[in-house]
Amino acid sequence: MPLDPKAAVASLKELRALTADANGAQRVAWTDTWLKARAWFEGKLKDLPVEYHYDAAGNRWVTLPGASEKALILGSHLDSVPNGGWLDGCLGVMAAFEVLRHIAEDYRGKPPVTIRLVDWADEEGARFGRSLFGSSAFAGTHSIEADRGRTDRDGIRLEDAVRQCGVDIDAIGDAQQERKNAAAYLELHIEQGPVLERLGLPLAAVLGTKGVERHAITFFGQEAHSGSTPMMDRHDALAAAAKLALEIRNIAGKHPDAVCTMGSVKTFPGIVTAVVGRCETTLDQRDLDADVLAAMFAEARAKSEQFAAEEKCTVEWSRIWNIEPVPFHPHLIDLCEEAIRETAGKSHRMPSGPLHDAAEVARAGIPTVMLFVQSLKGISHNKIEDTQEEHLELAVAAFDRLASKTIAWIQA
Ligand SMILES: [Zn+2]
């Protein structure tokens, strides 16, 4: 049987019927519904010439041995957020399954390189606030001590919840053994944003995941009476912050995919009869290029000092959180574009704002690329999350072509 993209879509509907209610998908990791989804998936493996097991972090591995031990890994995640959609994560797993089935049949069970499918454990971090659980254990970037004490809203500890699912928190680092012979990693995912729909394109090659710089910025002026203080004598902390809030549009605007957001502004004393003496703000800056990110950070900082001086104020910065950009593999990005062009005619390249398991795999040094398919209205993590079925089928077909090209690349 040739590749059957409709079978992948039919499986997604089967999974939805099994694990969604009126509010959406309920496959939250380390819950009974998630285990039900994983048992359902295991049932699909029975007729394939594959070995399968869970690793020490609860990631599901399915292996089709090839002539070479070098492995092409295809993966994504079956877990969802509460009240989630029918595509986030599980599209990538069901597409990987269909491609694996197709390759097993094409090569009569013995492809030139080993093909592995992975269903990562707890990508979303919805219950314990710890995203990319399984893939970070695989990559060796996990942090057991920081995660051990996490609890869900009922006070159940992460350590105990994962043990219920057969995972010993102290042993999850053993998942790194699965990196042996890994030659490339491919992941299909919905875009979760509005860009492809606006462009009228079904598919895109993903350049990597954006880095983030997140800071608290506080402007200090002088509280003073709103009636008795002439305009020229004011030290208005809000005026300095307001200038920066507008300036970040210019700062981001110099770079094609950069974004800057001032998401919070608090004024003190915050009353109608006082000039603002202190203004606390936050700034979130993102880009795929580490140099761009560093330049935007430096420019915002310099501008904040300029505006503080203009308003006879001072300013202090403190970092809340940051993560470096994770660029994907240049040659695999090219192969992904080729596969898209051959399947859908026109391709597009774009960075990912959200993080994905693929970022952890890339950080482990394994050549990685992702393929995005259009999301209707750019919405995900919600029951209305959707993609045209015709686009889902194109995505599975393009993913299959990408897998073939990557097999040839690994062989060479
Ligand atoms: Zn996802």
Side-chain angles (χ1 to χ4, degrees), residues 77 88-89 123-124 189 192 356:
H77 58 98
D88 182 351
E123 189 272 349
E124 300 285 2
H189 206 280
Q192 302 177 277
H356 288 287

PDB file of all heavy atoms in Angstrom, residues 77 88-89 123-124 189 192 356, ligand 1:
ATOM      1  N   HIS A  77       4.488  14.653  20.155  1.00  0.00           N
ATOM      2  CA  HIS A  77       3.955  14.261  21.468  1.00  0.00           C
ATOM      3  C   HIS A  77       2.465  13.995  21.422  1.00  0.00           C
ATOM      4  O   HIS A  77       1.717  14.744  20.785  1.00  0.00           O
ATOM      5  CB  HIS A  77       4.252  15.363  22.502  1.00  0.00           C
ATOM      6  CG  HIS A  77       3.679  16.707  22.136  1.00  0.00           C
ATOM      7  ND1 HIS A  77       2.486  17.166  22.648  1.00  0.00           N
ATOM      8  CD2 HIS A  77       4.106  17.683  21.304  1.00  0.00           C
ATOM      9  CE1 HIS A  77       2.221  18.368  22.159  1.00  0.00           C
ATOM     10  NE2 HIS A  77       3.188  18.707  21.329  1.00  0.00           N
ATOM     11  N   ASP A  88      -2.428  19.472  17.922  1.00  0.00           N
ATOM     12  CA  ASP A  88      -1.155  19.846  18.550  1.00  0.00           C
ATOM     13  C   ASP A  88      -0.471  18.602  19.102  1.00  0.00           C
ATOM     14  O   ASP A  88      -0.978  17.974  20.029  1.00  0.00           O
ATOM     15  CB  ASP A  88      -1.419  20.866  19.669  1.00  0.00           C
ATOM     16  CG  ASP A  88      -0.136  21.358  20.338  1.00  0.00           C
ATOM     17  OD1 ASP A  88       0.948  20.798  20.067  1.00  0.00           O
ATOM     18  OD2 ASP A  88      -0.227  22.290  21.140  1.00  0.00           O
ATOM     19  N   GLY A  89       0.683  18.258  18.535  1.00  0.00           N
ATOM     20  CA  GLY A  89       1.443  17.111  19.009  1.00  0.00           C
ATOM     21  C   GLY A  89       1.065  15.812  18.321  1.00  0.00           C
ATOM     22  O   GLY A  89       1.888  15.185  17.660  1.00  0.00           O
ATOM     23  N   GLU A 123       5.326  17.021  26.741  1.00  0.00           N
ATOM     24  CA  GLU A 123       5.850  18.199  26.048  1.00  0.00           C
ATOM     25  C   GLU A 123       5.253  19.459  26.662  1.00  0.00           C
ATOM     26  O   GLU A 123       5.915  20.469  26.848  1.00  0.00           O
ATOM     27  CB  GLU A 123       5.509  18.131  24.554  1.00  0.00           C
ATOM     28  CG  GLU A 123       6.208  19.197  23.705  1.00  0.00           C
ATOM     29  CD  GLU A 123       5.446  20.508  23.592  1.00  0.00           C
ATOM     30  OE1 GLU A 123       4.273  20.583  23.987  1.00  0.00           O
ATOM     31  OE2 GLU A 123       6.041  21.483  23.099  1.00  0.00           O
ATOM     32  N   GLU A 124       3.966  19.404  26.984  1.00  0.00           N
ATOM     33  CA  GLU A 124       3.229  20.619  27.345  1.00  0.00           C
ATOM     34  C   GLU A 124       3.528  21.140  28.753  1.00  0.00           C
ATOM     35  O   GLU A 124       3.411  22.331  29.008  1.00  0.00           O
ATOM     36  CB  GLU A 124       1.721  20.378  27.215  1.00  0.00           C
ATOM     37  CG  GLU A 124       1.247  19.986  25.796  1.00  0.00           C
ATOM     38  CD  GLU A 124       1.230  21.173  24.843  1.00  0.00           C
ATOM     39  OE1 GLU A 124       1.611  22.286  25.246  1.00  0.00           O
ATOM     40  OE2 GLU A 124       0.825  20.975  23.682  1.00  0.00           O
ATOM     41  N   HIS A 189       4.477  19.702  12.822  1.00  0.00           N
ATOM     42  CA  HIS A 189       3.652  20.323  13.864  1.00  0.00           C
ATOM     43  C   HIS A 189       2.755  21.378  13.220  1.00  0.00           C
ATOM     44  O   HIS A 189       3.099  21.912  12.165  1.00  0.00           O
ATOM     45  CB  HIS A 189       4.552  20.983  14.927  1.00  0.00           C
ATOM     46  CG  HIS A 189       3.920  21.106  16.279  1.00  0.00           C
ATOM     47  ND1 HIS A 189       3.030  22.108  16.599  1.00  0.00           N
ATOM     48  CD2 HIS A 189       4.049  20.342  17.396  1.00  0.00           C
ATOM     49  CE1 HIS A 189       2.649  21.942  17.851  1.00  0.00           C
ATOM     50  NE2 HIS A 189       3.242  20.885  18.360  1.00  0.00           N
ATOM     51  N   GLN A 192       0.425  27.047  14.839  1.00  0.00           N
ATOM     52  CA  GLN A 192      -0.083  27.699  16.067  1.00  0.00           C
ATOM     53  C   GLN A 192      -0.042  29.218  15.983  1.00  0.00           C
ATOM     54  O   GLN A 192      -0.093  29.896  17.013  1.00  0.00           O
ATOM     55  CB  GLN A 192       0.699  27.237  17.316  1.00  0.00           C
ATOM     56  CG  GLN A 192       0.676  25.744  17.541  1.00  0.00           C
ATOM     57  CD  GLN A 192       1.506  25.305  18.731  1.00  0.00           C
ATOM     58  OE1 GLN A 192       2.707  25.135  18.636  1.00  0.00           O
ATOM     59  NE2 GLN A 192       0.862  25.106  19.875  1.00  0.00           N
ATOM     60  N   HIS A 356       9.641  23.809  21.121  1.00  0.00           N
ATOM     61  CA  HIS A 356       9.163  22.469  20.772  1.00  0.00           C
ATOM     62  C   HIS A 356      10.198  21.449  21.228  1.00  0.00           C
ATOM     63  O   HIS A 356      11.364  21.792  21.445  1.00  0.00           O
ATOM     64  CB  HIS A 356       8.971  22.352  19.255  1.00  0.00           C
ATOM     65  CG  HIS A 356       7.795  23.122  18.729  1.00  0.00           C
ATOM     66  ND1 HIS A 356       6.494  22.728  18.937  1.00  0.00           N
ATOM     67  CD2 HIS A 356       7.727  24.263  18.022  1.00  0.00           C
ATOM     68  CE1 HIS A 356       5.672  23.594  18.374  1.00  0.00           C
ATOM     69  NE2 HIS A 356       6.397  24.546  17.812  1.00  0.00           N
TER      70      HIS A 356
HETATM   71 ZN    ZN B   1       2.912  20.690  20.470  1.00  0.00          ZN
END
